Amino acid sequence: MNERANDTRAEALARLREIRDALGRDDAPRRINLRDYAEPGSPAWDAFVEASRPPGYKVRRGTMLARINQAIDALTSQLMGVEPLVPAAAPPVEAPATLTEEALATARELERLTDETPGRRHSVERQRLRRLTPDGVEFARAFLERLRAQPDGDREPPRELLYDERYAQPFPGDVEVERRPFRTRRDAAEYLAPRLEPITRLVGQHAGVWSWLGMFYFAETARVVSGAFDHRQPDERFIPDGRIDGRHYLWASWRLREQYGESADFLLNQEFSDLRHITMRTLTTPRIFNSVGVLPLVLRLYTSGNRQKSGFRDARGGFAHLIRVLGHLERTYDVYGMEPDALLRILPDEFRAWDGGTGA
């Protein structure tokens, strides 16, 4: 691998990441023409075509992002000097007719290791970490759509979705995960964090990996009401649509522990489907979720133990008031890059009445 080739790959990687970020914004179009973002024949374009196939003119955003991640995978593998992932070779379908021999062997072993209990399966097998291909993402969305139409159906994702290499390809490295029950976000975070630690930089924003994990642990994380899947859960709880964010059950859990540690106890101690006002607002607002100190300050001011403080929403100095004030202060200060104590020092006095921490 010569230096010039590495430079070209690095250039393509940087541009594809920029495109991925642009397509992950809320105002990005729902249908994507890659020609609007990369010149045909450019390093980014060639890397995309090599890893996937020539793009259509109006590709669904989620599909385009999955294919961009596939190209990013291949470039990252090449620059690291490891074997690149095998690209998907066939167009997406509603459901496959057969499994590959390898996937069949995996499925048979899975059956052997599965303990059947009423209404649920608990697998004890270990699996190498995988990532969903673009075909796998489409297959997973079709699975979720069918489950919404029949919420009391089988909540186990199809085995071929998890193990057939057309849909789920091994991720570089020797990371393994196993099926286990997760009661809270903390349970998931404390299990996943040490296992992903060797490849944290690779998987931190890798939608394909988190899509596979979302399906692998689907039965352990999906909200169930009266024995049936809660159809109100959007795809983004399990499969990112664009840039991965706090809406994803498992990624949010892992990220909270990695970025905030004990200061995020209120959120980590909740069940995945517990979306109280503070939880919903902090997890689904990227500027808050990705901040240095805003999220810890919100939890410090407006929560106590595992409960939200009474009257926190509308009172003077309350949560809504804080968001409005931060909107004004960000014109002068880097409020989303400041530590909690520094933020509290520049806030009006009424916010100190809510402070149960130190450093006010």
Side-chain angles (χ1 to χ4, degrees), residues 13 47 61 72 88 107 128 178 203 207 217 227 252 255 264 280 289 337 348:
L13 182 61
R61 182 174 64 167
I72 289 173
R128 180 178 174 183
E178 66 181 31
V203 301
Y217 290 111
R255 183 66 174 173
M280 178 66 78
F289 189 86

Side-chain angles (χ1 to χ4, degrees), residues 73-215:
D73 275 349
L75 288 167
T76 302
S77 297
Q78 292 162 8
L79 288 167
M80 291 174 61
V82 299
E83 189 68 22
L85 298 174
V86 179
V93 296
E94 283 299 314
T98 59
L99 296 175
T100 63
E101 286 301 315
E102 179 182 352
L104 282 169
T106 303
R108 292 189 191 107
E109 181 65 8
L110 184 62
E111 290 285 1
R112 186 180 72 79
L113 293 170
T114 297
D115 172 30
E116 299 284 356
T117 57
R120 193 162 185 170
R121 301 179 195 144
H122 295 286
S123 172
V124 296
E125 104 282 7
R126 297 181 65 84
Q127 278 293 325
R128 180 178 174 183
L129 182 70
R130 292 174 177 258
R131 67 156 187 104
L132 290 191
T133 66
D135 288 357
V137 171
E138 293 297 320
F139 190 5
R141 292 191 188 282
F143 161 71
L144 291 173
E145 192 61 30
R146 288 195 296 272
L147 196 55
R148 289 193 186 93
Q150 190 177 8
D152 57 352
D154 186 2
R155 295 192 301 277
E156 288 289 335
R159 296 187 190 284
E160 55 268 40
L161 170 60
L162 297 175
Y163 307 120
D164 189 321
E165 289 202 4
R166 176 178 173 184
Y167 304 104
Q169 296 177 357
F171 195 73
D174 298 320
V175 173
E176 292 186 336
V177 293
E178 66 181 31
R179 290 281 295 274
R180 55 175 54 205
F182 296 139
R183 189 180 65 84
T184 64
R185 295 186 184 95
R186 184 183 300 280
D187 293 340
E190 291 186 348
Y191 175 74
L192 292 174
R195 283 153 186 83
L196 299 181
E197 194 277 333
I199 55 172
T200 294
R201 293 183 62 186
L202 293 178
V203 301
Q205 277 292 331
H206 198 295
V209 168
W210 291 100
S211 293
W212 184 81
L213 287 170
M215 290 291 98

Side-chain angles (χ1 to χ4, degrees), residues 234-305:
D235 287 5
E236 291 75 28
R237 301 293 183 206
F238 314 99
I239 306 170
D241 182 14
R243 187 175 179 85
I244 190 168
D245 59 30
R247 294 173 295 176
H248 192 283
Y249 283 145
L250 290 173
W251 184 85
S253 304
W254 170 79
R255 183 66 174 173
L256 283 167
R257 182 185 184 276
E258 291 293 288
Q259 184 164 332
Y260 298 112
E262 293 181 1
S263 63
D265 280 353
F266 172 79
L267 299 175
L268 286 169
N269 291 336
Q270 295 174 5
E271 296 180 359
F272 295 101
S273 56
D274 187 336
L275 296 175
R276 286 174 277 184
H277 182 83
I278 287 177
T279 306
M280 178 66 78
R281 187 66 182 271
T282 53
L283 294 187
T284 61
T285 307
R287 290 192 301 174
I288 295 178
F289 189 86
N290 296 318
S291 66
V292 171
V294 174
L295 186 146
L297 182 63
V298 167
L299 301 183
R300 171 172 155 180
L301 296 182
Y302 307 119
T303 69
S304 178

